[in-house]
């Protein structure tokens, strides 16, 4: 009985502690509650005081201020103050720069889903949509990236003029200054569409609308500066650049050696107070053609000319200088890898500028780092993620089309599981990027400068894009390796390092910036505590620290209690009002992981303090956790506003599982490598008491998504949606339109194509070439004449879409590619194999398939070719009733050995369970090699080739031996037959069809209404 009461008392005490933490009671309320509980449990069982006494003593210490401060606050303040490194003004400016948004809710461990549900989903205004549909569409049509990269090394003069005249350089400038004043979402959409056509043009338009004088002037410029520069920037009369990085300062921009020293000098004929500037900038986009240069430099006033003799070093400052200013040198170009956008150097030695060139005037001297950190968010949050999303979406479209059109081993390459492992990643990652873009621009549309969120966007968008394109290169293989104007993957592949490097190198962004700034901007107490630890008034700071520190402890224990409970019963059920049966479990997971992250982050900050700045691998893992929590919520938001179709749910499910699994692995890796092993094990036990709870997407999910990846329209609405995000075309001579044209053609005739290919794989047709098989199928009435033309036309389109470029021996001139399978050239692919084989079988008394035909159906192959020839190439296949009426007609035998199902998929041996299939499966113990060697089903390609070569050799020898024995009349008859065969083989040589030469020209687009009918309406080509 006594033992039972003791256990009950202990349980009550522990439950009390947990309740205090879960309810987040104040220090006083919690202490009083604990004391009352200790007294009550002591009555139940005096032995409970074993735990009750320490609790009571702690409560008394917390309640008595002098005791609390002497025993806890002052020692902690001293220890933390000694552990924290000193902080420069520049670092303080950087940490204090920017605002926070949804990422703060996730960092704090208790996301407010009502707030999340009320975020306005980003949409385009009518004006913005019109600009994308018209001006952007026209610009994209003007751009040829192969010509830009390999011939002109620049945009065409027409493109430059169009960009300047139509406001592409002034998207963010207010209308009062002549700009377009578009939203962040509109900017993202515009940059995405341009980038889908030309990364060079996209970067050209991107820079003036992100980190540049325009952005800085709008936020910090004086009225005079705004009136002087903004109208010209909006109209494209002024071209801006901004010089930040240099030979000695890349990621560590705070270490720039460029200086501006306050002094007197001559400006416009008058002596004024100004700055003597010395600078050397590198890798500055638009510098070679800029008319106005923004510069970041360190400002010094050694003589105290600004009025404060004690302040000699002002820190980083930003100024705006005309490129024509005396001493400023621009012009030399760099050659960025894979994209020749204007990029170069800015230099100056002893350049004198007046003080009013400082952006915002002298009042903003030394505030340059804060200005840059806040304005960098535009480039990180809009421009680079837009380029990355665009590249991934174009890869999704092009590689999906290729995976369906390209066949190997008798099926589309996209059907292979190894390929689907890659394509499912591509599909889910592209879905994630589009979702990520929406939530980030949603936050930017609401104003503010959320530096942490935009750093997340920059890193994870560019890294995900790198993964998508690399997977695409693996799938497409040789078609993507060979350079040329036909290559649709080489351009984004080459441009990957640019996106990875600019606006803060990715390694730095992940390992230092995201969590480093995130902790300062998102933690409710940390930044204020840090300020107090750096204070010179130690006594006053200690008193304030006492209050702040115990609030911090209450916050930490509250998140720890939530994580502990969630570890056993799952996360909180809090979710947005629109959550459904599919999304609700994911919100619960995010609640649990967010609480665990808050606890883990506090453990790291509390135990490592300033050392965490140097533990970059640990910091990088915390960045992964924080960022993928944000990414997971973006996927859920995007799904809620999508079609919610089965295929879109598949995209979202795989993307969500990837994010949750990444978060889990980052947690566990963090715990495995945390220096304080006891603390790591304790927090690991609290957050993951049962070990791993998430798994990566299953093979079955990947297979399903890999199949959907190759679908379009109703079967895959997300693919259809992507066409509106990029410059979409099905022009067959276009770098991206060529593959899409082949894909759309295949989808329109797929039943016919699959029926024919299945029969072809079954060896149902005689001949050596595809054209032979089409003619044979037409002769046997397996397909109609219209269907024969459709097959030949699609085969020509398919073949052309798979061709790579060829050059002259010096790789200077692209050579024209002839298409031997075009409708005009199809006759040249015909062989006399079937006739020779039939004649040889007749001489040897072997029965042939033609013996079973009626006399009136025994028509020479040339007659069928004339029938195909007489079908106009401009006939619209979609209007052919015969095509649709015959696509379901069975073709060939159901040979169980080949393992093909009706729809063209491979039927695995384990799935072959009919009597015929079972009997056909080889039993090696009962096999008869000699009999099988005579059965053509078992012969390999070499045996077939040897047989054909020997037959041809025997026939040629027979003809030669009998030629001498022919009489003159016989020879004459024989010659007439030969001439007749030649005429039949050249059935295209007529007055309507010109003689086909060796260098065959492809039929023009205008000659084929059928091909035009496959293109989308102009209204769809967004």
């Amino acid at each position: 009985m006594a033992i039972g009461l003791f256990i009950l008392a202990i349980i009550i005490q522990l439950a009390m502690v947990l309740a205090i933490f879960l309810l987040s009671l104040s220090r006083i309320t919690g202490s009083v509650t604990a004391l009352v509980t200790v007294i009550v449990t002591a009555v139940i069982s005096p032995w409970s005081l074993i735990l009750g006494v320490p609790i009571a003593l702690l409560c008394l210490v917390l309640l008595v201020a002098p005791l609390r401060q002497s025993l806890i606050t002052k020692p902690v303040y001293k220890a933390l103050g000694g552990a924290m490194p000193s902080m420069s003004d520049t670092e303080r400016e950087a940490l204090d720069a920017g605002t926070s948004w949804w990422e703060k809710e996730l960092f704090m461990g208790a996301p407010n889903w009502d707030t999340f549900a009320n975020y306005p989903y980003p949409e385009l205004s009518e004006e913005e949509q019109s600009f994308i549909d018209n001006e952007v569409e026209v610009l994209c049509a003007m751009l040829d990236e192969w010509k830009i990269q390999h011939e002109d090394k620049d945009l065409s003069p027409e493109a430059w003029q169009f960009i300047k005249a139509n406001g592409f350089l002034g998207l963010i400038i207010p209308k009062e200054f002549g700009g377009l004043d578009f939203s962040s979402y509109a900017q993202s959409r515009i940059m995405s569409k341009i980038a889908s056509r030309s990364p060079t043009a996209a970067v050209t338009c991107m820079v003036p609308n992100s980190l540049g004088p325009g952005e800085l002037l709008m936020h910090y410029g004086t009225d005079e500066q705004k009136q002087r520069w903004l109208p010209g920037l909006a109209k494209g009369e002024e071209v801006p650049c901004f010089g930040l990085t240099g030979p000695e300062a890349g990621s560590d921009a705070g270490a720039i050696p460029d200086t501006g020293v306050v002094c007197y000098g001559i400006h416009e004929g008058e002596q004024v107070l100004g700055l003597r500037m010395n600078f050397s900038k590198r890798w500055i986009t638009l510098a070679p053609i800029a008319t106005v240069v923004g510069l970041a430099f360190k400002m010094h006033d050694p003589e105290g000319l600004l009025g404060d003799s004690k302040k000699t070093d002002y820190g980083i400052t930003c100024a705006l200088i005309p490129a024509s200013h005396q001493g400023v040198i621009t012009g030399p170009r760099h050659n960025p890898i894979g994209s020749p956008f204007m990029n170069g150097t800015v230099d100056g030695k002893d350049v004198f500028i007046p003080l009013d060139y400082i952006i915002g005037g002298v009042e903003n001297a030394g505030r340059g780092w804060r200005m840059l950190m806040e304005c960098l968010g535009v480039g990180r949050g809009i421009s680079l993620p837009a380029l990355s999303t665009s590249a991934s979406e174009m890869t999704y479209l092009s590689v999906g089309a290729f995976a369906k059109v390209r066949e190997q081993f008798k099926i589309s390459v996209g059907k292979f599981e190894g390929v689907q492992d890659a394509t499912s990643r591509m599909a889910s990652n592209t879905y994630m990027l589009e979702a990520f873009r929406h939530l980030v621009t949603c936050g930017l549309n609401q104003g503010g400068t959320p530096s942490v969120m935009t750093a997340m966007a920059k890193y994870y968008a560019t890294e995900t894009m790198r993964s998508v394109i690399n997977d695409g290169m693996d799938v497409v293989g040789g078609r993507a390796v060979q350079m040329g104007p036909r290559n649709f993957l080489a351009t984004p592949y080459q441009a990957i390092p640019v996106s990875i490097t600019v606006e803060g190198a990715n390694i730095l962004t992940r390992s230092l910036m995201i969590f480093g700034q995130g902790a300062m901007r998102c933690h409710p107490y940390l930044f204020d505590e840090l300020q107090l630890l750096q204070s010179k008034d130690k006594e006053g700071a200690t008193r304030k620290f006492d209050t702040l520190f115990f609030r911090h402890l209450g916050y930490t224990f509250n998140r720890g209690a939530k994580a502990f409970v969630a570890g056993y019963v799952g996360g909180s059920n809090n979710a947005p009002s629109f959550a459904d049966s599919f999304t609700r479990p994911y919100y619960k997971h995010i609640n649990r992981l967010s609480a665990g992250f808050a606890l883990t982050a506090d453990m790291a900050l509390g135990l490592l303090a300033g050392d965490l700045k140097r533990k970059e691998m640990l910091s990088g893992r915390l960045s992964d956790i924080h960022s993928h929590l944000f990414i997971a919520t973006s996927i859920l938001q995007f799904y809620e506003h999508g079609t919610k179709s089965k295929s879109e749910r598949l995209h979202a499910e795989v993307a969500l599982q990837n994010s949750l699994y990444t978060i889990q692995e980052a947690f566990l890796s963090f715990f495995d490598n945390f220096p304080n092993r006891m603390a790591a094990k304790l927090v690991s036990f609290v957050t993951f008491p049962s070990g791993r709870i998430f798994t990566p997407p299953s093979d079955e999910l990947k297979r399903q998504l890999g199949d959907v990846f190759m679908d379009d329209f109703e079967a895959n609405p997300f693919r259809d949606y992507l066409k509106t995000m990029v410059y979409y075309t099905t022009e067959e001579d276009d770098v991206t339109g060529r593959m899409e044209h082949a894909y759309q053609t295949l989808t329109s005739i797929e039943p016919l194509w699959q029926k024919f290919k299945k029969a072809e794989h079954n060896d149902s047709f005689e001949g050596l070439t595809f054209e032979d098989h089409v003619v044979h199928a037409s002769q046997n009435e397996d397909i109609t004449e219209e269907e024969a033309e459709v097959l030949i036309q699609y085969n020509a389109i398919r073949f052309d879409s798979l061709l790579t470029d060829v050059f002259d021996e010096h790789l200077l001139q692209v050579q024209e590619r002839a298409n031997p399978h075009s409708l005009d050239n199809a006759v040249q692919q015909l062989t006399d194999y079937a006739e020779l084989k039939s004649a040889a079988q007749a001489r040897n008394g072997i029965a042939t398939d033609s013996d079973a035909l009626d006399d009136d159906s025994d028509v020479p192959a040339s007659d069928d070719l004339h029938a195909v020839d007489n079908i106009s190439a401009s006939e619209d296949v979609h209007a052919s009733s015969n095509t649709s009426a015959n696509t379901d007609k069975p073709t060939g035998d159901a040979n169980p050995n080949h393992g093909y199902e009706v729809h063209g998929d491979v039927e695995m041996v384990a799935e072959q369970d009919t009597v015929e299939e079972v009997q056909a499966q080889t039993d090696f113990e009962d096999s008869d090699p000699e009999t099988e060697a005579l059965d053509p089903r078992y012969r390999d390609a070499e045996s077939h080739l040897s047989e054909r070569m020997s037959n041809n050799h025997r026939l040629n020898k027979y003809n030669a031996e009998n030629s001498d024995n022919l009489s003159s009349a016989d020879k004459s008859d024989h010659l007439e037959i030969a001439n007749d065969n030649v005429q039949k083989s050249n059935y295209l040589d007529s007055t309507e069809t010109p003689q086909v030469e060796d260098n065959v020209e492809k039929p023009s687009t205008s000659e084929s209404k059928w091909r035009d009918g496959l293109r989308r309406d102009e209204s769809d080509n967004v």
Side-chain angles (χ1 to χ4, degrees), residues 561-690:
K562 287 184 175 181
F564 178 77
V565 173
Y568 289 93
V569 301
S572 164
N573 288 319
N574 292 338
S577 56
F578 52 67
D580 57 23
S581 59
F582 168 66
T583 59
R584 190 171 297 280
Y586 290 104
Y587 287 112
K588 190 170 184 177
H589 291 319
I590 291 171
N591 289 331
R592 172 182 179 172
L593 294 170
S594 178
F597 175 63
L599 174 64
T600 304
D602 258 16
M603 175 191 71
L605 293 166
L607 295 180
L608 295 181
D611 285 342
L612 187 58
K613 182 178 180 180
R614 291 176 286 275
K615 298 290 185 181
E616 295 179 14
M617 295 183 189
L618 294 178
S619 179
R621 294 183 181 104
L622 294 172
S623 298
D624 290 340
I625 297 169
H626 193 189
S627 299
H628 274 278
L629 284 170
F630 190 94
I631 287 169
T633 59
S634 73
I635 295 168
L636 291 167
Q637 184 203 52
F638 186 67
Y639 174 81
E640 175 61 29
H641 290 84
T643 63
K644 294 191 176 180
S645 62
K646 181 179 179 181
S647 63
E648 183 170 353
R649 177 177 295 188
L650 198 58
H651 284 80
E653 186 174 7
V654 174
L656 286 166
Q657 289 189 16
N658 279 328
S659 283
L660 294 181
Y661 183 73
T662 300
I663 292 170
Q664 171 185 265
E665 296 306 299
F667 264 118
L668 298 179
S669 294
F670 179 89
F671 296 141
D672 287 343
N673 292 277
F674 194 73
N676 190 319
R677 302 305 306 140
M678 182 179 295
K681 289 180 179 180
L682 175 62
V683 177
S684 176
F685 172 75
V686 170
T687 52
F688 290 91
S690 59

Side-chain angles (χ1 to χ4, degrees), residues 378-488:
V378 179
R380 289 174 179 158
I382 298 177
S383 302
L384 289 170
L387 267 62
S388 300
T389 302
S390 171
S392 298
E393 290 175 346
M394 287 303 299
T395 303
Y396 184 113
L397 292 170
S398 297
V399 176
F402 175 89
K404 189 177 185 71
V405 171
R406 177 69 161 144
E407 295 181 0
Q408 291 285 270
F409 304 103
K410 304 178 181 179
I411 58 174
S412 296
V413 296
K415 284 287 186 180
F416 292 97
E417 283 195 9
V419 173
Q420 289 178 336
D421 190 32
T423 57
S424 63
R425 274 197 308 271
M426 295 172 64
S428 60
N429 281 337
T430 303
Y431 188 86
M432 181 274 277
L433 284 173
E434 186 61 42
F436 200 13
R437 180 243 293 273
H438 274 77
L439 188 57
V440 170
T441 53
C442 174
L444 293 172
N445 279 349
Q446 293 188 292
T449 54
S451 55
V452 177
M453 178 186 74
T454 53
M456 291 177 180
K458 191 275 175 181
Y459 176 81
Y460 292 94
T462 55
E463 287 294 339
T464 303
M465 175 266 294
R466 170 159 40 187
S467 172
V468 170
I469 294 177
N470 282 341
D471 279 332
M473 292 290 292
D474 289 347
V475 173
V476 179
R479 175 71 171 82
V481 169
Q482 299 300 331
M483 292 289 291
R486 287 172 170 266
N487 195 316
F488 53 80

